[in-house]
Each structure stands twice: as C-alpha cells, then as structure tokens.
Amino acid sequence: MSEKRPLAALPSNGKAISISAVAEQAGVSIATVSRVINASKPVSADTRERVEAAVAALGYRANAFARSLTRGESRLLLVLVPDFANPFYSETVKGVASVVRRHGYNIVLAGAPDALAPDTGAPDALYSRLVDGVISLASLHDLQPAIRDMPDLPWVACSEFVEDGGMPHASIDHGQAALDAVQYLINRGHRRIALLGADESYVWARQRHAGYEAALKRAGIPLDAQLVRVARGTDYSLGMEAAGALLALESPPTAVFAVSDTLAIGAIKAFRRAGRRVPDDIAVVGFDNIPLAQVFEPALTTIAQPMFELGAAAARLLLERLAGGHPRSLTLQHALVVRESA
Amino acid sequence: MSEKRPLAALPSNGKAISISAVAEQAGVSIATVSRVINASKPVSADTRERVEAAVAALGYRANAFARSLTRGESRLLLVLVPDFANPFYSETVKGVASVVRRHGYNIVLAGAPDALAPDTGAPDALYSRLVDGVISLASLHDLQPAIRDMPDLPWVACSEFVEDGGMPHASIDHGQAALDAVQYLINRGHRRIALLGADESYVWARQRHAGYEAALKRAGIPLDAQLVRVARGTDYSLGMEAAGALLALESPPTAVFAVSDTLAIGAIKAFRRAGRRVPDDIAVVGFDNIPLAQVFEPALTTIAQPMFELGAAAARLLLERLAGGHPRSLTLQHALVVRESA
DNA sequence: CTGAAAGCGCTTACAG
DNA sequence: CTGAAAGCGCTTACAG
C-alpha cells in the first residue's frame, strides 16, 4: 500500500538526516548531540554551540519512533469519541486538546465504537501500544475486555464513567442535573412529562433517566412507560422520531426532558412541524448547553455542562496518572439555564 | 512529567512481553515470529501453529514504535482542522476517518493554527516526523514554510487548497457555488444583497467572495462595500455581530449570502432579535448544508457541500500518494438546496 | 522453511 | 564534559 520512505526529514539531496549526521557535522558523538537537544546533561558552551549550529544547518529533528522506543513513552494520547457530530463532544475535546498540548502531548482520535477492531473490540491504536494513555468519552461497556487486557495503560473517563469507581473520571452529577431539570418542569405545573433518553449503555444516560424518575416520584407523579422514549443516539433525527411517537400518544405530554440538546432540538423541530408551539403547547428542556442552545429558536432551556472544563479536567487527571499519581475523580458543577423552550 | 513505563503490554507479573518472549515460548527465532505475525514469508504449518499459540497465550502485540522504526512508516495520518466547533469539519473528518481506517491508518488530530508550535509554525507532530502524511482542512498560508521544509511528506488539502496547484486537493467549485447562491437571490428579485464572508486567509473564502461579486456584476448590480462584512471565523456569534452591523446601515440589505451555515444561523438569530422576519424582511442563504440546516427554524436555504465525500476523497488522494501515485485534484459537485430562509 | 545478524535512530548507564 | 557501547523491539536481507 504505502511507498517506502525514510523517516528522517530529507534535505534536497534525498539523504535522511539523523542524529549521526548532526554528530558528524558538529564533530562530536551522537551522545553529545542527544544531550544538547534534550538538555539532559551539561555540555560545554563551545560544544553546544557547534551542535546547535549543525542542527540548524541540517534542519534536524529527532525521530519520534526511535525516541519513543528508547524513552518508553510516545507522548500520544488516545481520545475516544462516540460521535463527532454532537457539539458536546467537540467542545469537550477542545478542552482536552488545550491542556494536553501544553504538556507536549498529541492526540490520536478514534471514533468509538466505530473504530474498534472487529476481533479485539479495541481501537488498533490501543493494541499496537502506540499511546501513553486514553481519555474516553465513549461507553466503556464494550471496552472492558480491552481495558483489562492492558492493566498498565492508564485510562480516564470524561462525562462517562464506570460505576465500580475503578477509573478516575471528570463528570457532573448526571442524576442530580436531570432531577433539577424535571423539577423545574414540575414547578412550572407540568405533570405529564416525557423523557427523551439516549443509548443506555452509557451510565450518564441511565443516571439521567434515574434522575427523571426520582423527580417524578418525589412529586408523587406516577411513572408512565409510554412517556419514556430511549433513542439510539443523539442525532437531531432521532429526536424528531421520538417526538413524533410522543405526539402520537392518546394523551401526549405537556413537557419533555431530553437528555441532550441535539435531541431536544430535533424534538422541537418535530413539534413545530406538527403545528405545536414550544413552549406554549409543549415545553422542552435539553441537556449540555451546546453553543447552539442559545442561538436556536426558541432558545433552549437546558442543563449546562462545563464542556471545555470537563475535557480539561479529564486531561489533567490523565496527566497526573502518567506522572505516577492516583488522582481522584472530579464532579464539576452543572446549572439549569432557563431560556425560551420551557 | 511521566512515569517510566515499559512499552510492551504487561502480563500480571509485570514483565514486558516482546517478540523475543514469543519466540522463546514457541521455541523459534524472532525472525520466524515476525514472519508469522506479518504473514510476510512462508512458514511451515507446524511452526506457525506453535507461534500463534504463543502469541495468543502471551497476548502479544507488536510494538508500534519498533515496527515504525524499521518499516519506515507509522500508519498515522495528521488531520489539520481549523475549528472543531463547526459541523462542517466534523462531518468531513468523519469521511476521512471512514476511508483511512479501512486501510489500517490512525488519525492524529491537530487544531490549526492553535496547535502550531510557536517556533516552527507547524504542529509538533509534523516536525517529529510522526505521521506518514497530512490532510489539511486548515488555511495553508501559514503552513507554507513547514510544507517546504519537508518535501518528502505528502500533503493533501480538503475543501481548502493552494492556488499554485502544487498540492492535490478535494474540493467543490467555491466560486461557482457562491455565484449560484447569489444568482438565486437575484432571481428572487433582491438587489441589495450583503456578503457575510469569513477569514480570507482561506482561498475558499476569497473564492466565495469573488463568486458573490461576479453574480452581482453579471446582473449589473453595483458593488457596495458597506454590504460586505468579513468575519474572523465562522462562530454563530460572529454571524450575529456582522448581521447587527448590516442592520445598522442607513439602507440595510434585503438579503444576505453567508459563506457558512453557522454564520447564516447567527445572522438569522440577530435579525429576529431585531424584530426582522426571515425570509420576509430579509432573506438568508447559507453554505455547507450541515445537518442542522434542515432542523433550524427557518430551515436554511443553502449550498450543499458533500462533506463526508469531500473528506473521503481527500483521504483517498493521500492514500494514492502514499502508494507512490500522483493523483489529480478532485472537484466534487455542490447543489443549491432551497428551504425556508430564502 | 529457518536462524543469526545487521540495522532502523535514538537514550543512557558506564568509563574516563 | 565527552565518547564507546549496549539496548529499546522490531524487519529483512543473507545464508543455509
């Protein structure tokens, strides 16, 4: 498939430039070159200058593979993202990227579960031991075997987590947040409140579901199974579908709590297509507070998650683990932001 | 910063498992192990079985660095993305990921220009020669020095490109697409048509701008500098700002052509906040046809770009280059999709 | 079909 | 402060 190409940068003459080329040009050993480029040991001023001149003249850069091989680290981190299309994930990844690159790490991105190898159930990048650690926004369920297979690889979860507490994570309190959202709806006088849920292989989805039920229970409102629709994902279209089903009920809800803004937006779209006014005929509260939430019309009443901070916090957790620490999981604050949709 | 960790997967006893461990366990040489795991040379059935058993028993996976070092390729591709928040980019990256991983490549993602090293003006991943090639969705302008520095590294552009034609790219005809959009507005009777442009370090932004002017010229409508607002990026908020400025004109436009859907959505938001109806008071056409375009209210009239296909095509271009080919640039089809906003 | 050995480009004790 | 050499974990001629 791929053309054989020397790894080193090629000056116009086509010859790979490696550490030995620099050493030769500077008239020193490769060990010395290594010491100056890494500032790992004292080198005389004179020698250092000669080496630096040679490096500059040749345009030398250390080969990442050789370096990783000897150092035992790649400074590459895997980020597992379920869905590039949901702005929640892009915002979060921005947070990860921001802290990680300040520490000299690069990000290898993989979509999960799409990128999971059929045989191993893990991303190729994992089993090739390419990365120093992983930050997962994906459902950890299917990844358990992979995680167990490589006990020395540090994992950290973001927004999502594993319930046994074995993996540090940065997250909000999903259950409480959902409870807050539904409580708000109840306070506004709603009693027929639907849940627009998402793939429950995610614990956040299960916890938000539980929060919804808790709020209802607390208010003495009986659960109605017809009022809960669990979507397979968070695409707008899935929100539309679920909303359509809700509308088809003999006794439709007067409010819906959607566990994601994208789902909420899809639902609103469907309601309006069906001639319902939001929030007058039916109120909708979302979850995440993606940038679009305040731009969409009607602007979304939603639970704000600190997306960027969640990513940044997860990244810091991983960095701490990489440094040999045993950081504790973090619960960040959420907030109900009331706008127009409910 | 980081804890020293052996590269190999560790069985519970903590000893790194490398190719020699497999060789020992199977009673063969490491060369033979290499041959069976890569299926690179014939190996007797008996030997193969013993090796495979050892691999399975030990849970052995080849070390990516050692492999890359000897093979001269990493099967890692760099994708340069300007803005994770714009769905246009996420959709496109999906297309890239889809073809690339089918060929055994992983993606290293970097935000440009954010991730550019201050000194070199290129992503660290580039100068460490970590990747086999790069697909750039970013503005190539600031990257020129980096590109020239490593003539052996294959680059491919997506949506964006360099005008001298030196780099294969997959793109639509931005000028024609913009012309189509503005022509549509003119056909609908508009004569005061504003341009909501984006950062013109991108050639797509300049070409869409040119298409706008061409359409006006062709219709004998004089250009009015007050009617063109060039935003720094494509955030919703920038669209809102620009729209506000347009509204402040003594003689505001009756229509606006926005070079991105996110900009268009921001503009619509601002118009409605100011009490204008879209499209009745002011028509808006966008660009990209992101998933949101049909969900937003009013649904966007926009130029559809084949986002996923653009990414997939760019990926194929790069794969061809990696295979030693010299692929020609591709121009994919765009289409005006008329919905509610104009 | 199989193995011993060189080599990929680095880093890092070990001597001096 | 500096160098010779071993070693990281692979792949691949070269012999047999």
Side-chain angles (χ1 to χ4, degrees):
Chain A
M1 171 88 262
S2 61
E3 173 187 28
K4 195 60 179 285
R5 187 171 56 75
L7 282 172
L10 299 182
S12 15
N13 66 28
K15 193 173 165 300
I17 114 102
S18 69
I19 196 172
S20 34
V22 176
E24 189 173 335
Q25 165 115 1
V28 298
S29 73
I30 61 170
T32 298
V33 175
S34 176
R35 285 171 193 131
V36 352
I37 63 180
N38 295 305
S40 51
K41 290 252 176 164
V43 169
S44 76
D46 171 54
T47 309
R48 185 180 327 109
E49 274 166 29
R50 287 213 315 285
V51 172
E52 281 165 353
V55 166
L58 265 24
Y60 170 72
R61 307 273 163 173
N63 177 298
F65 306 114
R67 188 170 258 180
S68 293
L69 189 57
T70 62
R71 292 222 250 233
E73 62 164 20
S74 64
R75 303 231 139 207
L76 245 28
L77 265 19
L78 181 68
V79 178
L80 250 26
V81 187
D83 181 6
F84 296 107
N86 191 326
F88 170 77
Y89 293 116
S90 16
E91 292 296 319
T92 309
V93 171
K94 276 191 198 177
V96 172
S98 139
V99 351
V100 134
R101 63 173 307 271
R102 210 175 304 135
H103 291 260
Y105 284 82
N106 281 298
I107 287 179
V108 175
L109 202 73
D114 295 3
L116 305 187
D119 51 334
T120 63
D124 310 324
L126 270 188
Y127 275 116
S128 64
R129 299 180 264 125
L130 187 61
V131 299
D132 291 343
V134 9
I135 297 179
S136 178
L137 291 148
S139 164
L140 272 348
H141 184 78
D142 298 335
L143 293 167
Q144 286 305 330
I147 296 170
R148 264 191 281 273
D149 265 19
M150 29 194 102
D152 57 318
L153 216 217
W155 285 68
V156 144
C158 183
S159 180
E160 180 64 356
F161 39 89
V162 293
E163 286 169 296
D164 68 12
M167 185 188 298
H169 66 263
S171 184
I172 63 164
D173 182 340
H174 300 286
Q176 181 63 48
L179 192 144
D180 291 351
V182 177
Q183 184 63 54
Y184 169 78
L185 255 9
I186 292 170
N187 292 349
R188 309 273 293 181
H190 294 285
R191 292 190 60 85
R192 280 195 71 69
I193 302 172
L195 173 73
L196 213 173
D199 181 357
E200 300 205 341
S201 69
Y202 287 86
V203 355
W204 61 254
R206 297 199 294 276
Q207 293 191 336
R208 292 178 199 172
H209 187 157
Y212 158 84
E213 294 191 348
L216 259 30
K217 231 161 255 168
R218 179 182 295 194
I221 302 174
L223 296 180
D224 180 347
Q226 293 199 308
L227 256 25
V228 353
R229 316 291 313 187
V230 175
R232 294 189 317 280
T234 58
D235 294 358
Y236 300 123
S237 60
L238 297 173
M240 294 181 63
E241 278 175 29
L246 252 16
L247 247 25
L249 257 31
E250 348 54 291
S251 171
T254 63
V256 1
F257 166 53
V259 299
S260 128
D261 284 345
T262 50
L263 246 18
I265 286 170
I268 292 175
K269 178 73 177 183
F271 292 149
R272 303 183 102 187
R273 272 202 187 155
R276 303 300 200 286
R277 288 164 310 161
V278 175
D280 308 279
D281 297 331
I282 185 159
V284 177
V285 2
F287 206 109
D288 288 344
N289 198 28
I290 59 177
L292 179 61
Q294 59 178 309
V295 175
F296 192 73
E297 307 244 336
L300 252 44
T301 291
T302 190
I303 295 289
Q305 291 202 71
M307 300 172 280
F308 187 94
E309 253 316 313
L310 243 12
R316 274 183 231 109
L317 249 26
L318 184 53
L319 259 17
E320 280 183 59
R321 291 205 57 179
L322 256 11
H326 296 276
R328 296 185 44 198
S329 292
L330 257 33
T331 301
L332 304 194
Q333 295 309 303
H334 65 270
L336 174 70
V337 0
V338 176
R339 285 193 278 242
E340 306 166 352
S341 67
Chain B
M1 170 89 264
S2 61
E3 173 187 27
K4 194 62 178 285
R5 187 170 56 76
L7 284 171
L10 298 183
S12 16
N13 64 28
K15 194 174 165 301
I17 114 102
S18 68
I19 196 172
S20 34
V22 177
E24 189 174 334
Q25 164 116 359
V28 299
S29 73
I30 61 170
T32 298
V33 175
S34 175
R35 284 171 195 132
V36 353
I37 62 179
N38 295 304
S40 51
K41 289 251 177 163
V43 169
S44 76
D46 171 54
T47 308
R48 182 178 332 110
E49 274 166 29
R50 288 214 315 284
V51 171
E52 281 164 352
V55 166
L58 265 23
Y60 169 72
R61 306 274 163 172
N63 177 298
F65 306 113
R67 187 170 260 180
S68 292
L69 189 57
T70 62
R71 294 225 253 236
E73 62 163 22
S74 64
R75 303 232 140 206
L76 244 30
L77 265 19
L78 181 69
V79 178
L80 249 27
V81 188
D83 181 8
F84 295 107
N86 191 325
F88 170 76
Y89 293 115
S90 15
E91 291 296 320
T92 308
V93 171
K94 276 191 198 178
V96 172
S98 139
V99 350
V100 134
R101 63 171 307 271
R102 209 175 304 135
H103 291 261
Y105 284 83
N106 281 298
I107 287 179
V108 175
L109 202 73
D114 296 3
L116 305 187
D119 50 333
T120 62
D124 309 325
L126 268 189
Y127 276 116
S128 64
R129 298 180 264 126
L130 187 62
V131 299
D132 291 344
V134 9
I135 297 178
S136 177
L137 292 148
S139 163
L140 272 349
H141 185 77
D142 298 335
L143 293 167
Q144 286 306 332
I147 297 170
R148 264 191 282 273
D149 265 19
M150 30 194 100
D152 57 316
L153 218 217
W155 285 68
V156 144
C158 183
S159 180
E160 180 64 354
F161 40 88
V162 293
E163 287 170 295
D164 68 10
M167 185 188 297
H169 65 264
S171 184
I172 62 163
D173 182 340
H174 299 285
Q176 182 63 48
L179 192 145
D180 290 352
V182 177
Q183 184 64 53
Y184 168 78
L185 255 10
I186 293 171
N187 293 348
R188 307 274 293 182
H190 294 285
R191 293 189 59 86
R192 278 195 73 69
I193 302 171
L195 172 73
L196 213 173
D199 181 357
E200 300 205 340
S201 69
Y202 287 87
V203 356
W204 61 255
R206 297 200 293 277
Q207 293 190 336
R208 292 178 200 173
H209 187 156
Y212 159 84
E213 295 192 347
L216 258 32
K217 233 161 252 165
R218 179 183 293 192
I221 301 174
L223 297 179
D224 179 346
Q226 294 198 310
L227 255 27
V228 353
R229 318 290 315 186
V230 175
R232 294 189 318 280
T234 58
D235 294 356
Y236 300 123
S237 59
L238 297 173
M240 294 182 64
E241 278 176 29
L246 253 16
L247 247 25
L249 259 29
E250 347 57 288
S251 172
T254 64
V256 1
F257 165 52
V259 299
S260 128
D261 283 345
T262 51
L263 246 18
I265 285 170
I268 292 173
K269 179 73 176 182
F271 292 149
R272 301 182 103 188
R273 270 199 188 157
R276 305 299 201 285
R277 289 163 308 163
V278 175
D280 308 279
D281 297 330
I282 185 159
V284 176
V285 3
F287 206 108
D288 288 343
N289 197 29
I290 59 178
L292 178 61
Q294 59 178 310
V295 176
F296 192 73
E297 308 244 337
L300 253 44
T301 291
T302 190
I303 294 290
Q305 292 202 71
M307 299 171 282
F308 187 95
E309 252 315 314
L310 243 13
R316 274 184 231 108
L317 249 26
L318 184 54
L319 259 18
E320 280 182 59
R321 290 205 58 178
L322 255 11
H326 296 277
R328 296 184 44 200
S329 292
L330 257 34
T331 301
L332 304 194
Q333 295 308 303
H334 64 270
L336 174 70
V337 0
V338 176
R339 287 192 277 243
E340 305 166 353
S341 68

